[in-house]
Amino acid sequence: MISLLRKLPLTVSPTTLTRLMDSSSSSTSTAAKASSQMHRLLILAQQLRHYKPPPSCLDELEEQQIQETTGKVVSQLGFEESVTPVVRDPQWFRPKKAAVLICLFEGDAGDLRVILTKRSSRLSTHSGEVSLPGGKAEEADKGDAETATREAEEEIGLDPSLVDVVTFLEPFLSKHLLRVIPVIGILQDKKAFKPIPNPAEVEEVFDAPLEMFIKDENRRDEEREWLGDKYLIHLFDYEFESKKYLIWGLTAAILIRAASVVFQKPAAFLEQNPKFKFPRLLLSPSSGPASWCKELAQFLVNNMNVGTGRAASHWVRASVFDQRRHWTREL
């Protein structure tokens, strides 16, 4: 301010001087706000780097690693892998992994927000649904962080150098049996990110308050059943810039977990995950791969709520028989 005054002419009107002082004060306030925001995000990053996800399977459950043939990570159903059973023997399933990016930044009101996308309405599956940026891992990826940030760059133009990856959540298992790794990253400078949606995949890019996913507001649930055990699917109704969105399924499940970890408190509602159990025949197959594939495919059609039509049945069988081709090459 002193240097500014030195540059002023010897005679300055009171109005001009007041305007200059207000401008200087505003600049100082903006800088202080930005500094405070960066400090809060650094503390959050430090906190999350100490987070250790629980084991991906429980000792009392048999592990079954399973895969999906599609590339994008959108599903009507998804749960932590720790609540699902998975086959330990890699002879039967070698999973393909996917990763999604939970990109957090501080909003103008000081709240933590997460970047979301609305899938293109031209897509043949899950068109118009809300999802996190992400997709299937590629061989060149060095890890889950690279998978998530690469996919985010491809889908919405988010430069990976802007994102500070701080931690990973436990794997989730999608309805179609894809193993999904949630990657939490922090965007320090939101203004540096100019969304460029890939029109082939993404229709809109928007953001939502992360804390919304552990609050019992604008939330409803639907009861489903798995082999006699009832569980809940959570749906969040959200409005942003006069547009309405429905966030549910795998995306909602991941964000509920992320919010619980970030804010260090459980959801204000009952999550009620299912107690997954597969028939012993499927967990300990005695028949050959081809016969077992048929049994597993039919079981999934009957019990995973993937639909009862010919298309759904064909899709599940194609997913399972993709493993059969892998076995055939090895045998």
Coordinates of all heavy atoms in Angstrom, one line a residue, residues 114 116 130 206-217 219 234-238 247-248 251-260 263 266-269 271:
V114 N -17.0 -32.6 -4.8 CA -16.5 -33.7 -5.6 C -16.9 -33.5 -7.0 O -18.1 -33.1 -7.3 CB -16.9 -35.1 -5.0 CG1 -18.4 -35.2 -5.0 CG2 -16.2 -36.2 -5.9
L116 N -18.2 -34.7 -10.6 CA -19.0 -35.8 -11.1 C -19.3 -35.6 -12.6 O -19.1 -34.4 -13.1 CB -20.3 -35.9 -10.3 CG -20.2 -36.3 -8.9 CD1 -21.5 -36.1 -8.1 CD2 -19.7 -37.7 -8.7
V130 N -25.2 -40.7 -13.7 CA -24.1 -40.0 -13.0 C -23.0 -40.9 -12.6 O -23.3 -42.0 -12.1 CB -24.6 -39.2 -11.8 CG1 -23.5 -38.6 -11.0 CG2 -25.6 -38.1 -12.2
F206 N -20.2 -31.6 -13.5 CA -20.7 -30.8 -12.4 C -20.0 -31.2 -11.1 O -19.2 -32.1 -11.1 CB -22.2 -30.9 -12.3 CG -22.7 -32.2 -11.9 CD1 -23.2 -32.5 -10.6 CD2 -22.8 -33.3 -12.9 CE1 -23.7 -33.7 -10.3 CE2 -23.3 -34.5 -12.5 CZ -23.8 -34.8 -11.2
D207 N -20.4 -30.6 -10.0 CA -19.8 -31.0 -8.7 C -20.9 -30.9 -7.7 O -22.0 -30.3 -7.8 CB -18.7 -30.0 -8.3 CG -19.0 -28.6 -8.3 OD1 -19.6 -28.1 -7.4 OD2 -18.7 -27.9 -9.3
A208 N -20.6 -31.6 -6.6 CA -21.6 -31.8 -5.5 C -20.9 -31.7 -4.1 O -19.7 -32.1 -4.1 CB -22.4 -33.1 -5.6
P209 N -21.5 -31.3 -3.1 CA -20.9 -31.3 -1.8 C -20.7 -32.8 -1.3 O -21.6 -33.5 -1.3 CB -21.9 -30.6 -0.9 CG -23.2 -30.7 -1.6 CD -22.9 -30.7 -3.0
L210 N -19.5 -33.1 -0.9 CA -19.2 -34.5 -0.5 C -20.0 -34.9 0.8 O -20.4 -36.0 0.9 CB -17.7 -34.6 -0.2 CG -17.2 -36.0 0.2 CD1 -17.4 -37.0 -0.9 CD2 -15.8 -36.0 0.7
E211 N -20.2 -33.9 1.7 CA -20.8 -34.3 2.9 C -22.3 -34.7 2.7 O -22.9 -35.3 3.6 CB -20.8 -33.1 3.9 CG -21.1 -33.4 5.3 CD -20.9 -32.3 6.3 OE1 -20.6 -31.2 5.9 OE2 -20.9 -32.5 7.5
M212 N -22.8 -34.3 1.6 CA -24.2 -34.7 1.3 C -24.4 -36.2 1.4 O -25.5 -36.7 1.7 CB -24.6 -34.2 -0.1 CG -25.9 -34.7 -0.7 SD -26.2 -34.1 -2.3 CE -25.3 -35.3 -3.3
F213 N -23.3 -37.0 1.1 CA -23.5 -38.4 1.0 C -23.4 -39.2 2.4 O -23.5 -40.4 2.4 CB -22.4 -39.0 0.1 CG -22.6 -38.4 -1.3 CD1 -21.8 -37.4 -1.8 CD2 -23.6 -39.0 -2.2 CE1 -22.0 -36.9 -3.1 CE2 -23.7 -38.5 -3.5 CZ -23.0 -37.4 -3.9
I214 N -23.3 -38.4 3.4 CA -23.5 -39.0 4.8 C -24.6 -38.4 5.5 O -24.8 -38.7 6.7 CB -22.2 -39.0 5.6 CG1 -21.6 -37.6 5.7 CG2 -21.2 -40.0 5.0 CD1 -20.4 -37.5 6.6
K215 N -25.3 -37.5 4.9 CA -26.5 -36.8 5.5 C -27.8 -37.5 5.0 O -27.8 -38.0 3.9 CB -26.5 -35.3 5.1 CG -25.4 -34.5 5.7 CD -25.6 -33.0 5.4 CE -24.6 -32.2 6.1 NZ -24.8 -30.7 5.8
D216 N -28.7 -37.5 5.9 CA -30.0 -38.2 5.5 C -31.0 -37.1 5.0 O -32.1 -37.0 5.4 CB -30.6 -38.8 6.8 CG -31.6 -39.9 6.4 OD1 -31.7 -40.2 5.2 OD2 -32.3 -40.4 7.3
E217 N -30.5 -36.4 4.0 CA -31.3 -35.4 3.3 C -31.3 -35.6 1.8 O -30.3 -36.1 1.3 CB -30.8 -33.9 3.6 CG -30.7 -33.6 5.1 CD -29.9 -32.3 5.3 OE1 -29.5 -31.6 4.3 OE2 -29.6 -32.0 6.5
R219 N -32.3 -37.9 0.3 CA -31.9 -39.3 0.1 C -33.1 -40.2 0.3 O -34.0 -40.0 1.1 CB -30.8 -39.7 1.1 CG -30.3 -41.2 1.0 CD -29.6 -41.6 2.2 NE -30.6 -41.9 3.3 CZ -31.2 -43.0 3.5 NH1 -31.0 -44.1 2.7 NH2 -32.1 -43.2 4.4
H234 N -29.0 -46.9 -2.1 CA -29.2 -45.5 -1.8 C -29.3 -44.7 -3.0 O -28.4 -44.8 -3.9 CB -28.2 -45.1 -0.8 CG -28.1 -45.9 0.5 ND1 -29.0 -45.7 1.5 CD2 -27.3 -46.9 0.8 CE1 -28.7 -46.6 2.5 NE2 -27.7 -47.3 2.0
L235 N -30.2 -43.7 -3.0 CA -30.4 -42.8 -4.1 C -30.4 -41.4 -3.6 O -31.2 -41.1 -2.7 CB -31.7 -43.1 -4.9 CG -31.9 -44.5 -5.4 CD1 -32.7 -45.4 -4.4 CD2 -32.6 -44.5 -6.8
F236 N -29.6 -40.5 -4.2 CA -29.5 -39.1 -3.8 C -30.1 -38.2 -4.9 O -29.6 -38.3 -6.0 CB -28.1 -38.7 -3.4 CG -27.5 -39.4 -2.2 CD1 -27.0 -40.7 -2.4 CD2 -27.6 -38.9 -1.0 CE1 -26.4 -41.4 -1.3 CE2 -27.1 -39.5 0.1 CZ -26.5 -40.8 0.0
D237 N -31.1 -37.4 -4.6 CA -31.6 -36.4 -5.5 C -30.8 -35.1 -5.3 O -30.7 -34.6 -4.2 CB -33.1 -36.2 -5.3 CG -33.9 -37.4 -5.6 OD1 -33.9 -37.9 -6.7 OD2 -34.5 -38.0 -4.6
Y238 N -30.3 -34.6 -6.4 CA -29.4 -33.4 -6.3 C -29.7 -32.4 -7.4 O -29.9 -32.8 -8.5 CB -27.9 -33.8 -6.3 CG -26.9 -32.7 -6.3 CD1 -26.9 -31.8 -5.2 CD2 -26.1 -32.5 -7.3 CE1 -26.0 -30.8 -5.1 CE2 -25.1 -31.5 -7.3 CZ -25.1 -30.6 -6.2 OH -24.2 -29.6 -6.2
I247 N -28.1 -39.5 -8.1 CA -26.8 -40.2 -7.9 C -27.1 -41.5 -7.1 O -27.6 -41.4 -6.0 CB -25.9 -39.3 -7.1 CG1 -25.7 -37.9 -7.9 CG2 -24.5 -39.9 -6.9 CD1 -25.0 -36.8 -7.1
W248 N -26.8 -42.6 -7.6 CA -27.1 -43.9 -6.9 C -26.2 -45.0 -7.3 O -25.2 -44.8 -8.0 CB -28.6 -44.2 -7.2 CG -28.8 -44.6 -8.7 CD1 -28.6 -43.9 -9.8 CD2 -29.4 -45.9 -9.1 NE1 -29.0 -44.6 -10.9 CE2 -29.5 -45.8 -10.5 CE3 -29.8 -47.0 -8.4 CZ2 -30.0 -46.9 -11.2 CZ3 -30.3 -48.1 -9.2 CH2 -30.4 -48.0 -10.6
T251 N -21.8 -45.5 -7.8 CA -21.3 -44.1 -7.5 C -21.7 -43.7 -6.1 O -20.8 -43.1 -5.4 CB -21.8 -43.2 -8.6 OG1 -21.3 -43.6 -9.9 CG2 -21.3 -41.8 -8.3
A252 N -22.9 -43.8 -5.8 CA -23.4 -43.4 -4.4 C -22.7 -44.2 -3.3 O -22.3 -43.6 -2.3 CB -24.9 -43.6 -4.3
A253 N -22.5 -45.5 -3.5 CA -21.9 -46.3 -2.5 C -20.4 -45.9 -2.3 O -20.0 -45.8 -1.1 CB -21.9 -47.8 -2.9
I254 N -19.7 -45.6 -3.3 CA -18.3 -45.1 -3.2 C -18.3 -43.8 -2.5 O -17.4 -43.6 -1.6 CB -17.7 -45.1 -4.6 CG1 -17.4 -46.5 -5.1 CG2 -16.3 -44.3 -4.5 CD1 -16.9 -46.5 -6.6
L255 N -19.2 -42.9 -2.8 CA -19.2 -41.5 -2.2 C -19.6 -41.6 -0.8 O -19.1 -40.8 0.0 CB -20.1 -40.6 -3.1 CG -19.5 -40.3 -4.4 CD1 -20.5 -39.5 -5.3 CD2 -18.2 -39.5 -4.3
I256 N -20.5 -42.5 -0.4 CA -20.8 -42.6 1.0 C -19.6 -43.0 1.8 O -19.3 -42.5 2.9 CB -21.9 -43.7 1.2 CG1 -23.3 -43.2 0.6 CG2 -22.1 -44.1 2.7 CD1 -24.4 -44.3 0.5
R257 N -18.8 -44.0 1.3 CA -17.6 -44.4 1.9 C -16.6 -43.3 2.0 O -15.9 -43.1 3.0 CB -17.1 -45.7 1.2 CG -15.8 -46.2 1.8 CD -16.1 -46.7 3.3 NE -14.9 -47.1 4.0 CZ -14.7 -47.1 5.3 NH1 -15.7 -46.6 6.1 NH2 -13.6 -47.5 5.8
A258 N -16.4 -42.6 0.9 CA -15.4 -41.5 0.8 C -15.8 -40.4 1.8 O -14.9 -39.9 2.5 CB -15.4 -40.9 -0.6
A259 N -17.0 -40.1 1.9 CA -17.4 -39.0 2.8 C -17.2 -39.5 4.3 O -16.8 -38.7 5.1 CB -18.9 -38.7 2.6
S260 N -17.5 -40.7 4.6 CA -17.2 -41.3 5.9 C -15.8 -41.2 6.3 O -15.4 -40.9 7.4 CB -17.7 -42.7 6.0 OG -19.1 -42.8 5.8
F263 N -14.7 -37.2 6.5 CA -15.2 -36.4 7.6 C -15.1 -37.2 8.9 O -15.5 -36.7 10.0 CB -16.7 -36.1 7.3 CG -16.8 -35.1 6.2 CD1 -17.3 -35.5 5.0 CD2 -16.5 -33.7 6.4 CE1 -17.4 -34.6 3.9 CE2 -16.6 -32.8 5.4 CZ -17.1 -33.2 4.1
P266 N -19.6 -41.8 10.6 CA -20.4 -42.7 9.7 C -21.6 -42.0 9.1 O -21.9 -40.8 9.5 CB -20.9 -43.8 10.7 CG -20.9 -43.0 12.1 CD -19.7 -42.1 12.0
A267 N -22.3 -42.6 8.2 CA -23.5 -42.0 7.6 C -24.6 -41.9 8.6 O -24.6 -42.6 9.6 CB -23.9 -42.8 6.4
A268 N -25.4 -40.9 8.5 CA -26.5 -40.6 9.4 C -27.7 -41.6 9.1 O -28.8 -41.4 9.7 CB -27.0 -39.2 9.3
F269 N -27.5 -42.5 8.3 CA -28.6 -43.4 7.9 C -28.1 -44.9 7.9 O -26.8 -45.1 7.9 CB -29.2 -43.1 6.5 CG -28.1 -42.9 5.5 CD1 -27.6 -43.9 4.8 CD2 -27.7 -41.6 5.2 CE1 -26.6 -43.7 3.8 CE2 -26.7 -41.4 4.2 CZ -26.1 -42.5 3.5
E271 N -26.9 -48.1 6.3 CA -26.4 -48.5 5.0 C -27.0 -49.9 4.6 O -27.4 -50.1 3.5 CB -24.9 -48.5 5.0 CG -24.3 -47.1 5.1 CD -22.8 -47.1 4.8 OE1 -22.4 -47.5 3.8 OE2 -22.1 -46.7 5.8

